[in-house]
């Protein structure tokens, strides 16, 4: 076993050779493609599948009194309601514009104070996209309220920031990208106790 040295880590070097990708299945939100690949030492080759999608955005929206804006919506994959933070596919001209649009559309709140927190890969074993997280501070209601997609029904809540670790621990907040977003947040800012 070797000692890991971050300064010597280069994830984009000595990559597998890729052939021409072929679409296997396409939907409005992702495309399943197959790609022939060969390992650098030529000992492994085969057809590998991956899901291609646009990047995603998440927003940790904070009120002036340190409450987090949470949303609750039905999720078809789990056949259950899911408590989350605002987010979605990055479809605007920039990641920030996409985050601002998701906050406004899903919650009816806006902010003039945005901070990029970081990104995580959704599942690099078979997905090609990133999920970016922003903090929106001092959010306030937009006069137009929510602007939901025709297939969305979203309830909006606020919850104290200092109590978020409790609902993470109880798996009330369990969406992996939401958990990752709060992980980035608490790594940078720590847990605030009141």
């Amino acid at each position: 076993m070797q000692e890991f040295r971050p300064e010597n880590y280069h994830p984009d070097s000595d990559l597998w050779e890729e052939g021409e990708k072929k679409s296997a299945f396409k939907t409005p939100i992702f495309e399943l493609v197959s790609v022939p690949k060969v390992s650098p030492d030529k000992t492994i080759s085969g057809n590998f599948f991956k899901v291609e999608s646009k990047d995603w955005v998440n927003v940790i929206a904070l009120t002036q009194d340190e409450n987090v804006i949470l949303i609750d919506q039905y999720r078809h994959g789990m056949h259950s309601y899911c408590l989350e933070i605002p987010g979605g596919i990055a479809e605007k001209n920039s990641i920030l514009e996409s985050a601002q649009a998701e906050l406004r559309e899903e919650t009816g709140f806006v902010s003039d104070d945005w901070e990029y927190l970081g990104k995580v890969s959704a599942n690099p074993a078979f997905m090609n996209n990133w999920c970016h997280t922003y903090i929106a501070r001092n959010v306030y209601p937009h006069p137009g309220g929510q602007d939901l997609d025709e297939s969305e029904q979203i309830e909006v809540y606020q919850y104290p920031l200092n109590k978020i670790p409790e609902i993470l621990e109880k798996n009330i907040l369990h969406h992996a990208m939401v958990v990752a977003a709060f992980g980035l947040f608490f790594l940078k800012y720590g847990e605030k106790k009141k």
Side-chain angles (χ1 to χ4, degrees), residues 101-181:
E102 290 295 333
L103 176 64
R104 159 74 176 83
E105 292 165 6
E106 292 190 345
T107 70
F109 283 84
V110 293
S111 173
D112 301 318
D113 184 358
W114 290 83
E115 176 190 348
Y116 183 73
L117 192 54
K119 65 182 181 178
V120 295
S121 55
N123 188 336
F126 67 94
M127 299 184 77
N128 74 328
N129 65 332
W130 293 94
C131 183
H132 304 265
T133 299
Y134 277 88
I135 303 169
R137 291 188 176 83
N138 301 312
V139 298
Y140 56 93
H142 185 276
Q146 290 175 302
D147 185 18
L148 299 174
D149 292 341
E150 62 183 30
S151 63
E152 290 179 319
Q153 293 179 330
I154 295 176
E155 292 293 327
V156 181
Y157 299 95
Q158 59 179 324
Y159 193 74
L161 174 61
N162 67 312
K163 292 186 177 182
I164 290 293
E166 294 173 24
I167 61 174
L168 286 167
E169 188 176 356
K170 292 177 181 176
N171 285 327
I172 295 171
L173 278 176
H174 56 78
H175 186 306
M177 296 299 104
V178 173
V179 174

Side-chain angles (χ1 to χ4, degrees), residues 23-33 50-54 56 89 126-129:
S23 179
F25 188 74
K26 190 170 186 170
T27 77
I29 58 173
F30 70 84
E31 183 174 10
L32 178 65
V33 299
K50 68 177 179 175
V51 173
E52 294 187 343
S53 175
K54 292 180 180 179
W56 303 328
I89 297 173
F126 67 94
M127 299 184 77
N128 74 328
N129 65 332

Side-chain angles (χ1 to χ4, degrees), residues 13-24:
S13 65
D14 205 22
L15 298 175
W16 290 41
E17 292 176 30
E18 289 188 331
E20 185 177 335
K21 73 178 179 180
K22 293 181 182 171
S23 179

Side-chain angles (χ1 to χ4, degrees), residues 40-99:
D41 64 4
K42 311 289 189 227
T43 62
I44 303 171
S45 65
N47 223 14
F48 295 85
F49 287 87
K50 68 177 179 175
V51 173
E52 294 187 343
S53 175
K54 292 180 180 179
D55 281 3
W56 303 328
V57 293
N58 268 336
V59 181
I60 297 175
L62 302 173
T63 64
Q64 191 170 10
D65 54 353
E66 293 287 296
N67 283 321
V68 179
I69 303 298
L70 298 174
I71 62 171
D72 190 43
Q73 63 182 315
Y74 176 80
R75 289 304 199 181
H76 297 276
M78 295 288 293
H79 186 50
S80 174
Y81 286 88
C82 190
L83 192 66
E84 305 172 356
I85 56 178
I89 297 173
E91 298 181 295
K92 303 297 182 190
N93 291 329
S94 70
I95 299 296
L96 174 58
E97 287 174 314
S98 296

